[in-house]
């Protein structure tokens, strides 16, 4: 299969990668992984200008075009981590140890632990401290081939600190090769100062908080934790309605611990994704299928919390709901900063195939963020490209602990 640009200015390519096997992840190509073997790929102005069999390369000026040989190794789209809580301060390692010794979550919370401890630490940290902490985490993802990351707020739980988290996330995007998308998650948990007054807090989220987030252009989407230990279906609807008035797409932490029909609600708002979804029912799956809402699987939280109820993978496949996979990196329930580990867990815990997991961190993860310019390697898309020292794409889900990344291009730039 060959794709060429409309004007085909071959002599003006910024880079040509030859001798490659390419897992395009393009579902229109009738081959596993959308693979093209013995292929070449050209980059111009940060985007893919040509892609196809190397034998079908159009004539070009070899003296004027920089050429890199992939030496028979594999190219994939840059990986996308579509659900993270990357900006926070503090550690919950001692709580992890306590839980293993039999102390309940309720007891830990009564002692001031749990999410309240992360909120205290995050509120106490300034922009610089949060930036340094988050940059280290972002570097870890980048080293594994991640080129796009979503970062949620949710550990400030007041106007000043929710804005601070989003400002740090925006700053990370401006000062790091990884492209950062931000999500306002003010409705993550009830802050201690609003105990017993959840409706009043939701009023704050929908008005003062959201208005300042929009005024500062700090968020690309809005999220809510719709759960019996989070916010109700009615409260979630209020936040979604407020977000929609501001033209912001919505997503939802849904059906993680119980079925509150959050996935069906986010689908009603034509939302981007429903995330976690272990307790999702067929009615919710049908609603997501109709709305085009992506199911974001978070095997790290499933693993770390030692859950036993799996997401309804068979139903999602039956109704052709796209499945993304993400780290859910956070200090309490998924302190696992490795998207490749999530790919392995997607296979071992949820019985996905390696091809399904790679789709889950490329084209489906892009869809979960509302992005149409990445996640697939084809002409016109962003040149976010990972070059791997592997003999087959399944190795990305199979082997852990060995860095297989050789090169990484973000918007056509080798970093």
């Amino acid at each position: 299969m060959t794709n060429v640009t409309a004007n085909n200015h071959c002599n003006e390519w910024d880079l040509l990668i030859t001798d490659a096997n390419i897992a395009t992840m393009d579902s229109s190509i009738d081959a596993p992984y959308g693979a093209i073997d013995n292929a070449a790929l050209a980059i111009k102005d940060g985007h893919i200008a040509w892609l196809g069999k190397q034998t079908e390369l159009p004539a070009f000026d070899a003296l004027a075009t920089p050429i890199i040989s992939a030496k028979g190794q594999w190219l994939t789209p840059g990986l996308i981590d579509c659900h993270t809580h990357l900006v926070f301060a503090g550690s919950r390692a001692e709580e992890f140890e306590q839980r293993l010794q039999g102390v309940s979550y309720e007891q830990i919370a009564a002692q001031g632990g749990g999410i309240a401890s992360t909120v205290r630490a995050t509120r106490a940290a300034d922009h610089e401290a949060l930036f340094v902490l988050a940059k280290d985490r972002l570097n870890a993802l980048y080293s594994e081939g991640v080129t796009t990351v979503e970062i949620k707020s949710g550990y400030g739980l007041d106007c000043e600190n929710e804005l601070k988290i989003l400002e740090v996330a925006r700053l990370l995007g401006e000062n790091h090769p990884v492209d950062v998308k931000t999500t306002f998650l003010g409705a993550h948990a009830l802050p201690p100062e609003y105990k017993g007054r959840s409706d009043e807090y939701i009023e704050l989220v929908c008005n003062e908080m959201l208005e300042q987030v929009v005024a500062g252009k700090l968020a690309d989407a809005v999220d809510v934790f719709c759960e019996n230990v989070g916010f109700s279906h009615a409260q979630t609807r209020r936040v979604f309605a407020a977000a929609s008035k501001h033209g912001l797409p919505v997503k939802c932490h849904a059906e993680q611990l119980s079925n509150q029909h959050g996935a069906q609600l986010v689908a009603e708002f034509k939302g981007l994704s429903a995330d976690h979804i272990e307790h999702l029912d067929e009615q919710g799956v049908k609603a997501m299928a109709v709305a085009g809402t992506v199911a974001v699987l978070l095997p790290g939280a499933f693993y770390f919390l030692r859950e036993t109820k799996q997401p309804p993978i068979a139903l999602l496949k039956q109704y052709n709901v796209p499945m993304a996979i993400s780290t859910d990196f956070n200090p309490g329930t998924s302190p696992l900063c490795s998207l490749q580990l999530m790919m392995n867990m997607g296979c071992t815990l949820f019985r996905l195939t390696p091809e399904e997991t790679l789709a889950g961190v490329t084209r489906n993860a892009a869809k979960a963020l509302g992005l149409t310019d990445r996640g697939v390697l084809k002409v016109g898309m962003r040149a976010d490209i990972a070059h791997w020292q592997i003999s087959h794409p399944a190795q990305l889900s199979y082997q852990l602990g060995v860095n297989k990344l050789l090169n990484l291009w973000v918007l056509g730039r080798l970093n």
Side-chain angles (χ1 to χ4, degrees):
M1 177 178 180
T2 303
N3 292 306
V4 296
T5 55
N7 52 19
N8 196 23
H9 292 306
C10 306
N11 292 342
E12 298 178 10
W13 288 341
D14 298 325
L15 178 67
L16 177 64
I17 305 173
T18 62
D19 305 313
N21 293 307
I22 304 179
T24 69
M25 302 313 296
D26 184 349
S27 58
S28 69
I29 297 178
D30 186 19
Y33 302 91
I36 306 174
D37 56 7
N38 301 313
L41 181 153
I43 297 171
K44 174 65 178 175
D45 294 333
H47 292 76
I48 298 172
W50 190 91
L51 175 71
K53 287 279 192 181
Q54 188 160 320
T55 55
E56 299 174 4
L57 263 173
F60 67 97
D61 187 344
L63 295 178
T65 305
I67 301 173
I68 291 179
S69 172
K71 299 181 179 178
Q73 304 291 350
W74 282 84
L75 305 181
T76 72
L79 307 186
I80 299 171
D81 197 349
C82 64
H83 179 135
T84 84
H85 305 254
L86 209 66
V87 178
F88 64 86
S91 169
R92 308 251 286 272
E94 292 182 11
E95 295 177 18
F96 173 62
E97 184 174 47
Q98 285 181 294
R99 287 201 306 275
L100 292 172
Q101 294 170 344
V103 181
S104 71
Y105 183 85
E106 290 76 12
Q107 290 173 304
I108 291 171
Q111 298 165 5
I115 191 172
S117 67
T118 301
V119 171
R120 286 195 304 273
T122 303
R123 287 179 175 181
D126 61 17
H127 285 72
E128 182 179 359
L130 290 173
F131 180 90
V132 171
L133 289 168
K135 185 179 180 182
D136 285 345
R137 300 158 189 157
L138 197 57
N139 286 341
L141 293 172
Y142 179 65
S143 71
E144 287 193 345
V146 174
T147 53
T148 301
V149 169
E150 182 255 23
I151 298 177
K152 303 179 191 294
S153 65
Y155 289 122
L157 304 185
D158 63 21
C159 197
E160 175 187 355
N161 288 289
E162 285 294 297
L163 293 174
K164 178 176 68 177
I165 292 170
L166 293 170
E167 287 164 354
V168 170
R170 287 291 199 218
L171 194 61
L172 282 166
E174 294 168 4
N175 293 276
H176 199 283
V178 171
D179 191 31
V180 173
K181 302 301 175 184
T182 57
T183 297
F184 171 52
L185 181 58
H188 187 199
L190 190 65
E193 60 269 24
Y194 277 85
K195 184 177 181 180
R197 298 185 294 136
S198 60
D199 281 336
E200 290 182 41
Y201 181 66
I202 289 297
E203 188 72 18
L204 177 69
V205 169
C206 292
N207 293 298
E208 182 182 350
M209 279 193 191
L210 187 53
E211 287 168 6
Q212 292 199 39
V213 167
V214 170
K217 298 180 179 179
L218 293 174
D220 302 303
V222 173
D223 196 350
V224 179
F225 183 34
C226 182
E227 188 52 78
N228 53 17
V229 296
F231 296 96
S232 70
H233 190 278
Q235 290 168 335
T236 302
R237 179 181 291 277
R238 288 175 61 190
V239 178
F240 284 177
S244 298
K245 287 180 181 177
H246 289 287
L248 285 172
V250 297
K251 45 180 50 196
C252 191
H253 283 61
E255 278 71 87
Q256 180 182 10
L257 306 173
S258 63
N259 189 359
Q260 301 295 314
H261 306 290
Q264 194 168 348
L265 180 60
V266 77
E268 179 185 329
F269 280 82
K270 300 293 190 288
L272 295 172
S273 68
D275 304 32
H276 288 289
I277 60 168
E278 282 87 341
H279 291 261
L280 179 63
D281 61 15
E282 186 169 7
Q283 187 177 7
V285 173
K286 287 180 178 179
M288 292 173 65
V290 171
T293 300
V294 176
V296 178
L297 308 178
L298 303 173
F302 178 90
Y303 160 83
F304 197 76
L305 293 173
R306 294 186 288 182
E307 296 287 353
T308 57
K309 185 171 179 59
Q310 297 187 1
I313 303 297
L315 276 176
L316 293 167
K317 290 183 181 182
Q318 178 183 337
Y319 287 96
N320 296 314
V321 176
M323 291 180 287
I325 297 174
S326 188
T327 61
D328 188 21
F329 180 75
N330 73 78
T333 63
S334 188
L336 308 168
C337 199
S338 170
L339 194 55
Q340 288 187 34
L341 175 58
M342 297 306 109
M343 294 170 68
N344 176 267
M345 287 182 174
C347 294
T348 58
L349 298 179
F350 296 160
R351 299 297 187 265
L352 299 177
T353 67
E355 183 176 1
E356 287 169 336
T357 64
L358 187 54
V361 297
T362 54
R363 66 168 184 258
N364 292 342
K367 184 175 174 61
L369 296 178
L371 302 173
T372 59
D373 62 349
R374 68 197 75 185
V376 174
L377 298 182
K378 64 180 181 181
V379 170
M381 302 292 270
R382 281 173 58 112
D384 292 352
I385 304 166
H387 176 202
W388 307 94
Q389 189 174 4
I390 55 176
S391 58
H392 191 279
Q395 281 182 253
L396 297 176
S397 297
Y398 158 74
Q399 187 179 52
L400 299 172
V402 177
N403 192 340
K404 300 170 283 290
L405 186 68
L406 293 173
N407 293 302
L408 189 62
W409 289 267
V410 183
L411 262 182
R413 180 176 298 176
L414 183 61
N415 293 282

